[in-house]
Amino acid sequence: MSLLPLNPDQLLSTTRAVRKRLDFDRPVPDALVRECVDIAQQSPSGSNNPTMAFVVVKDAAKRKAIGEIYRQCFEIYKGMDGVYIGSIDKGTAEANDQQRRSAASADFLGERMGDAPVLVIPCSAAGMRTDGQAGMFTASMMGNILPAMWSFMLAARARGLGTAWTTLHLMQEQAVADILGIPFDTVQQVCLSPLAYTKGTDFKPAARPSADNIIHWDTW
Ligand SMILES: Cc1cc2nc3c(=O)[nH]c(=O)nc-3n(C[C@H](O)[C@H](O)[C@H](O)COP(=O)(O)O)c2cc1C
C-alpha cells in the first residue's frame, strides 16, 4: 500500500468530486477496494451495530446498464431548473464561472458513469428502508452508512483514486437493485460513486463561505 503524502487537513480539504480526471483505462486492484472498505468500517455506528454494506461493481455489462440508468436520471435532472447544478445562480461572476465548470464536469459523468472501472454503491443494510420512518430512525440508518462512505472516499483519495458522490440513480433505485440482486425492501442504496485512478493527484481546496456563515452559536 502506498499513500499520497497528505496530512489529515490536506486529505480532508482536497477530496473532491472527481469526474473528468478519472482514468477509465487503468484497472483498480481489488486489494485497494478492500483497504478502503476496511477504513470505512472504522466509522461510527448506532448502538455499535454496523449495518453498512458496499456493492462493488466491476462487471462490464452491469456497469454499462447502471451507467445508462444514471444517464437517463441525469437527463431528467438537467430539466430541473434551480436544482440542476448548472442552473443555480451563485451570486458572483467568479462563483458562477466555478459553478459552470462543476456543471460541465457533472454533465461529463452523466454520459460516462458506466465507463469507470469500478462503481461503488454503499447501502444501508438495516433490514428495512427509511421510507416513512420517524426522523430518529432515518437519521440513525443513514448515519450508519454515510460517514462510512465518506471515509471510503478519503481512503481512496489517499491511494490515488478518485470518487464522486452521486445520488441521481436513486430515481431508479429499484432498477439498479434488480441488476445487482439487491433486496430492495431491506437494503437501501444511498449513493453511487465511480472509482478510478485519478489523472494526476494534485487537487485543491474548494472556495467555501467562512465558517461564521453557518455556525449558530448558542441559538439559531
Ligand atoms: C448529497 C449529494 C448528492 C450529489 N449528487 C451528485 C450527482 O448526482 N451527480 C454528480 O455529478 N455530483 C453529485 N454530487 C457532487 C456535488 O456536485 C459536489 O460535491 C459539489 O459540486 C462540490 O464539489 P466538490 O465535492 O468537488 O467540492 C453530490 C454531492 C452530494 C453531497
Side-chain angles (χ1 to χ4, degrees):
M1 169 186 64
S2 88
L3 297 178
L4 299 179
L6 298 168
N7 70 34
D9 284 1
Q10 288 169 332
L11 179 67
L12 286 161
S13 59
T14 64
T15 301
R16 302 260 72 79
V18 186
R19 306 181 185 95
K20 289 185 173 178
R21 288 176 62 189
L22 296 171
D23 187 342
F24 293 140
D25 298 323
R26 188 172 166 197
V28 175
D30 290 357
L32 288 192
V33 177
R34 286 200 183 86
E35 285 176 16
C36 294
V37 171
D38 277 340
I39 297 284
Q41 287 195 80
Q42 295 294 328
S43 61
S45 60
S47 304
N48 193 24
N49 184 27
T51 52
M52 64 185 75
F54 291 85
V55 182
V56 177
V57 187
K58 301 192 303 175
D59 179 86
K62 290 179 180 177
R63 284 188 285 116
K64 188 170 175 217
I66 294 166
E68 175 55 21
I69 289 170
Y70 184 77
R71 193 191 65 71
Q72 291 169 9
C73 294
F74 199 90
E75 278 303 308
I76 296 168
Y77 164 68
K78 277 192 95 162
M80 295 178 177
D81 202 30
V83 176
Y84 169 58
I85 188 169
S87 70
I88 295 172
D89 184 351
K90 301 290 264 192
T92 67
E94 191 187 354
N96 282 334
D97 273 353
Q98 171 54 44
Q99 192 72 357
R100 269 190 289 277
R101 284 194 293 277
S102 295
S105 165
D107 291 352
F108 172 83
L109 189 63
E111 293 295 328
R112 301 291 305 272
M113 179 69 89
D115 292 332
V118 178
L119 299 178
V120 179
I121 301 181
C123 298
S124 161
M128 62 200 286
R129 299 183 60 80
T130 56
D131 315 18
Q133 296 294 333
M136 190 279 284
F137 288 111
T138 300
S140 301
M141 282 190 264
M142 288 295 121
N144 267 11
I145 181 62
L146 300 183
M149 183 54 184
W150 181 235
S151 293
F152 179 102
M153 295 163 103
L154 294 167
R157 160 83 172 124
R159 286 158 179 77
L161 301 169
T163 57
W165 197 292
T166 80
T167 49
L168 292 172
H169 88 282
L170 297 174
M171 290 184 215
Q172 292 288 338
E173 183 188 347
Q174 175 92 65
V176 171
D178 291 346
I179 291 167
L180 299 171
I182 298 173
F184 183 80
D185 292 337
T186 53
V187 175
Q188 185 167 348
Q189 301 164 53
V190 301
C191 76
L192 161 68
S193 176
L195 181 70
Y197 279 100
T198 55
K199 296 177 181 171
T201 57
D202 57 314
F203 292 89
K204 293 185 176 53
R208 297 282 197 251
S210 85
D212 282 329
N213 283 39
I214 57 169
I215 296 176
H216 306 265
W217 299 106
D218 293 330
T219 188
W220 183 266

